[in-house]
Amino acid sequence: MAEEPLLVVRDLHKHYPVSAGLMGQVKMTLRAVDGISFTLARGETLGLVGESGCGKSTAGKALMRLIEPTSGSVRLNGIEITGLSRRELHAQRRQMQAVFQDPYSSLNPKMTAGALVAEPLINFGLGNSAERRARVEDLFGRVGLRAGDMAKYPHEFSGGQRQRLGIARALAPGPTLVVGDEPVSALDVSVQAQVVNLLVRLQREFGLAYLFIAHDLAVVRHISDRVAVMYLGRIVELAPTATLFARPAHPYTQALLEAIPIPDPRRRRSRAVLRGEVPSPINPPSGCHFHPRCPIATERCRVEVPELRDLGAGQSAACHHAPAPPAATRETISA
Amino acid sequence: MTDSPVLQIEDLRTQFLTHGGIAKAVDGVSYHVNRGETLGVVGESGCGKSVTALSVMRLVPDPPGRIVSGRVLLHGQDLLELDEAAMRRVRGNRIGMIFQEPMTSLNPVLTVGRQIEEVVALHQNLPARQAAERAVEMLRLVQIPEPQRRAREYPHQLSGGMRQRVMIAMALSCNPEVLIADEPTTALDVTIQAQILELIREIQQRTGTAIVLITHDLGVIAETADRVVVMYAGKKVEEAPVTALFDAPLHPYTRGLMVSMPRLDSPLGPERGELPEIPGMVPSLSALPEGCRFAPRCPLAVQQCREEPPLIEYAPGHVAACWRAGE
């Protein structure tokens, strides 16, 4: 049997109870993450994309148990994460670290940069004080900060440098998985390239696996080996990066790619703009969540939830009308 | 007729008093926009693109900010010489403005219809009934479904995209000669961004409004602008017709911006190299380098760059401020 991938997520759900109605008497459920499954190999990058409210950030937090998932299974290195006690979870946290969009809000302003990077080492009981100091110095060098920066406070750094600091802190305990939640979105264009390159370099040096959550599809395309597209809590398509961008199978993926402005005025085009907006996840459309906005929706899409279906060559899509795999068993379409 | 500038900014300087000294947020910037034209203004945070727009509207908070010198001509009339009462008749009437986050510029306790009514009642002297009709008409123009019903809703009841449509409706309700849009789609999802940009284009074709579109996104610029101004650290460093700018950028900063963005058609897999980086970071506006402000980050910088480079026209309408432009 083949070795299990580093991360195996199965049928992950995160639901929130919400109150509606004038007096809050109507109890409803917001299905932020509504049954997603994927795997991530050692050293691989999976991009997780979608528009605001699609559940991509919630998915990242739930699989790390920064918020508690409602149900589902998350296996990291063969260990089931969802059933662990607080103490057991703490031990596993060493393996999975997060980098957020705005490192400023996650950095204690009263601690020096050096202390911030040393903190996770102390938390996990790694090394004595001399070893910790050497490790922090090494990390500062690797993320492109100077040793002299160790005595500075977070507010003394620019946005790009703070993100480098956030990355150093995430890497300190030696994780195998890093979940990046919009890690370059808040950065200026000229600084974004620096941090993207840094993330790619560090991945090679440390053999890291990345779950790269972002809305910028060009950045995701550059950094990811495979990409998963989410819409209203579900993965609608998952494919190797080149395939997803060249031959998107799901109409939502197609619309998303179509909407990206192309930095070339000679290719200015009148595009098929996706109409309408993402509906509320509290009361999502029946059947395929995308059907009210979908140009090729049929009656079947209104009633029947499409499963994520294998289209061959590592591509899968949750669409009744996605092309069937070339020579595979073709399911009969009951229209 | 189409080539007469509606809005012309001349040698504008706006400064802020900060703890670190005087920040030269806008330092001698000139640009103009014609009727029916979209001028794109692109640059990173702190380049002065938004402060320039706020200076045009005379909305720079004073103190700590101050418009030190320059002229802002609307059809030849200098707005910087108007008294506040006269300026109020320009703002929202002859020049409309929309911002990145509509929630901060909409009044949360008034219905959106009421807010548009107030603008047209103030500037156009319309009776209440006609103002209300105009509000619904504007909401229909920006393609808000069920405009009659939506007019009675409050900003928090609308999605981000709908709020931005309301802002656009309000900004256009008095048929302004100029619309200044400051990062109008930055807070929106990409499919909603496409809708809003299309809407702005359609309305411009119909009304001939001159648009100043401020953004950090070169993709948005390429898709919407006729001409482009590139700003860096308070200065205009390049200006060109949009195709000329993308075909043959002259300033090393413009080139750096263009190549450092990952593109949808760049190679993948083993051929994928590192993204070309612009090293370092944007300088502090209160501690600017001597001469060319981009020199410390510039791969082409030479001794001469310690002197400030003048803006030189290299091709019709294509100017750049660089001693080594185009090299």
Side-chain angles (χ1 to χ4, degrees), chain A residues 152-229:
Chain A
K152 288 192 191 168
Y153 291 89
H155 74 269
E156 297 178 78
F157 292 96
S158 70
Q161 287 175 320
R162 274 202 291 268
Q163 197 53 291
R164 290 174 192 272
L165 189 58
I167 292 167
R169 196 169 137 88
L171 296 187
T176 48
L177 168 67
V178 173
V179 176
D181 191 354
E182 302 275 9
V184 300
S185 306
L187 304 176
D188 272 321
V189 184
S190 75
V191 176
Q192 186 174 293
Q194 297 172 9
V195 176
V196 167
N197 286 340
L198 175 67
L199 288 169
V200 173
R201 263 194 312 269
L202 291 169
Q203 177 168 46
R204 267 200 305 270
E205 283 173 34
F206 293 104
L208 301 167
Y210 286 147
L211 181 64
F212 192 87
I213 302 166
H215 69 281
D216 184 330
L217 286 143
V219 172
V220 167
R221 181 181 176 277
H222 177 83
I223 207 167
S224 307
D225 300 301
R226 289 185 301 140
V227 178
V229 181

Side-chain angles (χ1 to χ4, degrees), chain A residues 281-305:
Chain A
I282 296 172
N283 191 12
S286 60
C288 172
H289 286 346
F290 187 60
H291 85 258
R293 306 175 74 193
C294 183
I296 59 166
T298 57
E299 178 60 18
R300 184 183 179 199
C301 307
R302 209 171 56 75
V303 291
E304 192 184 326
V305 178

Side-chain angles (χ1 to χ4, degrees), chain B residues 37-53:
Chain B
E37 183 187 45
T38 298
L39 177 74
V41 181
V42 68
E44 301 177 278
S45 38
C47 73
K49 58 191 193 298
S50 295
V51 178
T52 305

